[in-house]
Amino acid sequence: MPLTLPDLPYAKNALEPHISERTLEFHFGKHHQAYVTNGNALIAGTEFEKMALEDIIRKTTGDKDRVGIFNNAAQVWNHSFYWKSMKANGGGKPFGAIAKKISSNFGGYEQFLDEFKKAGATQFGSGWAWLVMDNDKLKIVKTTNADTPITQNLKPLLVVDVWEHAYYLDYQNRRPDYLTTFADKLINWDFVNSQLS
């Protein structure tokens, strides 16, 4: 089946105290698993059954008759990318190629951070804040619900999930605190650099 639940790149308690094991049990074990299960049920016996995940997403985006397939497939992709965007003892200032790119595109790390956190904090309702490459330029974009930059020919480098299930057990209604912690303690800059290259 094309929709699979990936292994987490760390133990469920590895991101504590910033993201609790309980949050990951629900977020990964229940929400992400449900997108995989529901998506596979929707594509069973269809032309999408043998397609790669990204192809399913691109072929169903904007199709009102296939919105269920799109939502589940895109959420599988978005969540898989989100897990890789974090690591234990991550966060802080970037390094390597992405640090140079952030400096040249945003004028410095602080300017990038302000814009990235603002995107996450001002995303109304459920969604995502992304750092992407648009041709050769870095941009920050936000998407609602299951939308994903790969349908806009943008290359994702980093994402933070701002659906409430991503942070509510740990931060309740304090989304800005979650975003600050994500930036200061969790961003996996090694992964971001790997996406840049």
Side-chain angles (χ1 to χ4, degrees), residues 126-138:
S126 301
W128 309 82
W130 305 82
L131 175 65
V132 301
M133 283 286 288
D134 184 5
N135 294 314
D136 196 41
K137 187 168 174 54
L138 290 181

PDB file of all heavy atoms in Angstrom, residues 126-138:
ATOM      1  N   SER A 126      -6.497  25.275  11.833  1.00  0.00           N
ATOM      2  CA  SER A 126      -5.516  24.211  11.661  1.00  0.00           C
ATOM      3  C   SER A 126      -4.634  24.466  10.451  1.00  0.00           C
ATOM      4  O   SER A 126      -5.088  25.003   9.443  1.00  0.00           O
ATOM      5  CB  SER A 126      -6.235  22.877  11.486  1.00  0.00           C
ATOM      6  OG  SER A 126      -7.034  22.615  12.624  1.00  0.00           O
ATOM      7  N   GLY A 127      -3.369  24.065  10.548  1.00  0.00           N
ATOM      8  CA  GLY A 127      -2.481  24.236   9.412  1.00  0.00           C
ATOM      9  C   GLY A 127      -1.017  24.066   9.761  1.00  0.00           C
ATOM     10  O   GLY A 127      -0.667  23.443  10.764  1.00  0.00           O
ATOM     11  N   TRP A 128      -0.185  24.684   8.940  1.00  0.00           N
ATOM     12  CA  TRP A 128       1.259  24.465   8.971  1.00  0.00           C
ATOM     13  C   TRP A 128       1.988  25.758   8.626  1.00  0.00           C
ATOM     14  O   TRP A 128       1.486  26.557   7.836  1.00  0.00           O
ATOM     15  CB  TRP A 128       1.640  23.408   7.931  1.00  0.00           C
ATOM     16  CG  TRP A 128       0.841  22.145   8.018  1.00  0.00           C
ATOM     17  CD1 TRP A 128      -0.413  21.915   7.498  1.00  0.00           C
ATOM     18  CD2 TRP A 128       1.229  20.937   8.662  1.00  0.00           C
ATOM     19  NE1 TRP A 128      -0.816  20.646   7.795  1.00  0.00           N
ATOM     20  CE2 TRP A 128       0.174  20.013   8.508  1.00  0.00           C
ATOM     21  CE3 TRP A 128       2.373  20.540   9.353  1.00  0.00           C
ATOM     22  CZ2 TRP A 128       0.224  18.720   9.021  1.00  0.00           C
ATOM     23  CZ3 TRP A 128       2.431  19.254   9.865  1.00  0.00           C
ATOM     24  CH2 TRP A 128       1.372  18.362   9.699  1.00  0.00           C
ATOM     25  N   ALA A 129       3.194  25.931   9.174  1.00  0.00           N
ATOM     26  CA  ALA A 129       4.095  27.007   8.750  1.00  0.00           C
ATOM     27  C   ALA A 129       5.359  26.350   8.200  1.00  0.00           C
ATOM     28  O   ALA A 129       5.926  25.459   8.839  1.00  0.00           O
ATOM     29  CB  ALA A 129       4.423  27.937   9.906  1.00  0.00           C
ATOM     30  N   TRP A 130       5.774  26.788   7.019  1.00  0.00           N
ATOM     31  CA  TRP A 130       6.853  26.135   6.270  1.00  0.00           C
ATOM     32  C   TRP A 130       7.973  27.111   5.920  1.00  0.00           C
ATOM     33  O   TRP A 130       7.707  28.274   5.619  1.00  0.00           O
ATOM     34  CB  TRP A 130       6.326  25.607   4.936  1.00  0.00           C
ATOM     35  CG  TRP A 130       5.158  24.690   4.991  1.00  0.00           C
ATOM     36  CD1 TRP A 130       3.836  25.032   5.098  1.00  0.00           C
ATOM     37  CD2 TRP A 130       5.186  23.254   4.904  1.00  0.00           C
ATOM     38  NE1 TRP A 130       3.052  23.906   5.086  1.00  0.00           N
ATOM     39  CE2 TRP A 130       3.844  22.801   4.965  1.00  0.00           C
ATOM     40  CE3 TRP A 130       6.218  22.319   4.757  1.00  0.00           C
ATOM     41  CZ2 TRP A 130       3.509  21.456   4.905  1.00  0.00           C
ATOM     42  CZ3 TRP A 130       5.895  20.980   4.697  1.00  0.00           C
ATOM     43  CH2 TRP A 130       4.549  20.544   4.776  1.00  0.00           C
ATOM     44  N   LEU A 131       9.184  26.599   5.891  1.00  0.00           N
ATOM     45  CA  LEU A 131      10.297  27.246   5.207  1.00  0.00           C
ATOM     46  C   LEU A 131      10.488  26.457   3.923  1.00  0.00           C
ATOM     47  O   LEU A 131      10.660  25.238   3.958  1.00  0.00           O
ATOM     48  CB  LEU A 131      11.571  27.200   6.056  1.00  0.00           C
ATOM     49  CG  LEU A 131      12.834  27.745   5.382  1.00  0.00           C
ATOM     50  CD1 LEU A 131      12.706  29.251   5.103  1.00  0.00           C
ATOM     51  CD2 LEU A 131      14.065  27.447   6.240  1.00  0.00           C
ATOM     52  N   VAL A 132      10.426  27.158   2.777  1.00  0.00           N
ATOM     53  CA  VAL A 132      10.495  26.487   1.478  1.00  0.00           C
ATOM     54  C   VAL A 132      11.494  27.178   0.576  1.00  0.00           C
ATOM     55  O   VAL A 132      11.867  28.334   0.793  1.00  0.00           O
ATOM     56  CB  VAL A 132       9.115  26.465   0.775  1.00  0.00           C
ATOM     57  CG1 VAL A 132       8.068  25.740   1.627  1.00  0.00           C
ATOM     58  CG2 VAL A 132       8.641  27.879   0.428  1.00  0.00           C
ATOM     59  N   MET A 133      11.895  26.450  -0.471  1.00  0.00           N
ATOM     60  CA  MET A 133      12.662  27.041  -1.563  1.00  0.00           C
ATOM     61  C   MET A 133      11.707  27.290  -2.712  1.00  0.00           C
ATOM     62  O   MET A 133      10.974  26.389  -3.131  1.00  0.00           O
ATOM     63  CB  MET A 133      13.754  26.072  -2.032  1.00  0.00           C
ATOM     64  CG  MET A 133      14.950  26.022  -1.123  1.00  0.00           C
ATOM     65  SD  MET A 133      15.995  27.471  -1.273  1.00  0.00           S
ATOM     66  CE  MET A 133      16.731  27.185  -2.859  1.00  0.00           C
ATOM     67  N   ASP A 134      11.718  28.506  -3.222  1.00  0.00           N
ATOM     68  CA  ASP A 134      10.955  28.875  -4.417  1.00  0.00           C
ATOM     69  C   ASP A 134      11.990  29.257  -5.463  1.00  0.00           C
ATOM     70  O   ASP A 134      12.563  30.341  -5.405  1.00  0.00           O
ATOM     71  CB  ASP A 134      10.019  30.034  -4.102  1.00  0.00           C
ATOM     72  CG  ASP A 134       9.128  30.411  -5.281  1.00  0.00           C
ATOM     73  OD1 ASP A 134       9.168  29.705  -6.305  1.00  0.00           O
ATOM     74  OD2 ASP A 134       8.408  31.414  -5.171  1.00  0.00           O
ATOM     75  N   ASN A 135      12.252  28.335  -6.388  1.00  0.00           N
ATOM     76  CA  ASN A 135      13.407  28.442  -7.277  1.00  0.00           C
ATOM     77  C   ASN A 135      14.655  28.515  -6.410  1.00  0.00           C
ATOM     78  O   ASN A 135      14.955  27.571  -5.715  1.00  0.00           O
ATOM     79  CB  ASN A 135      13.258  29.625  -8.242  1.00  0.00           C
ATOM     80  CG  ASN A 135      12.106  29.394  -9.212  1.00  0.00           C
ATOM     81  OD1 ASN A 135      11.990  28.316  -9.774  1.00  0.00           O
ATOM     82  ND2 ASN A 135      11.257  30.396  -9.382  1.00  0.00           N
ATOM     83  N   ASP A 136      15.362  29.647  -6.364  1.00  0.00           N
ATOM     84  CA  ASP A 136      16.593  29.709  -5.571  1.00  0.00           C
ATOM     85  C   ASP A 136      16.423  30.581  -4.327  1.00  0.00           C
ATOM     86  O   ASP A 136      17.396  30.913  -3.667  1.00  0.00           O
ATOM     87  CB  ASP A 136      17.735  30.239  -6.452  1.00  0.00           C
ATOM     88  CG  ASP A 136      19.100  29.968  -5.835  1.00  0.00           C
ATOM     89  OD1 ASP A 136      19.296  28.860  -5.282  1.00  0.00           O
ATOM     90  OD2 ASP A 136      19.954  30.868  -5.869  1.00  0.00           O
ATOM     91  N   LYS A 137      15.187  30.947  -4.013  1.00  0.00           N
ATOM     92  CA  LYS A 137      14.947  31.875  -2.908  1.00  0.00           C
ATOM     93  C   LYS A 137      14.176  31.197  -1.778  1.00  0.00           C
ATOM     94  O   LYS A 137      13.230  30.466  -2.023  1.00  0.00           O
ATOM     95  CB  LYS A 137      14.165  33.082  -3.442  1.00  0.00           C
ATOM     96  CG  LYS A 137      13.980  34.202  -2.434  1.00  0.00           C
ATOM     97  CD  LYS A 137      13.470  35.458  -3.117  1.00  0.00           C
ATOM     98  CE  LYS A 137      13.133  36.552  -2.119  1.00  0.00           C
ATOM     99  NZ  LYS A 137      14.206  36.892  -1.207  1.00  0.00           N
ATOM    100  N   LEU A 138      14.595  31.472  -0.553  1.00  0.00           N
ATOM    101  CA  LEU A 138      13.866  30.980   0.615  1.00  0.00           C
ATOM    102  C   LEU A 138      12.618  31.821   0.842  1.00  0.00           C
ATOM    103  O   LEU A 138      12.635  33.037   0.683  1.00  0.00           O
ATOM    104  CB  LEU A 138      14.725  31.077   1.878  1.00  0.00           C
ATOM    105  CG  LEU A 138      15.922  30.145   2.024  1.00  0.00           C
ATOM    106  CD1 LEU A 138      16.600  30.406   3.359  1.00  0.00           C
ATOM    107  CD2 LEU A 138      15.534  28.697   1.891  1.00  0.00           C
TER     108      LEU A 138
END
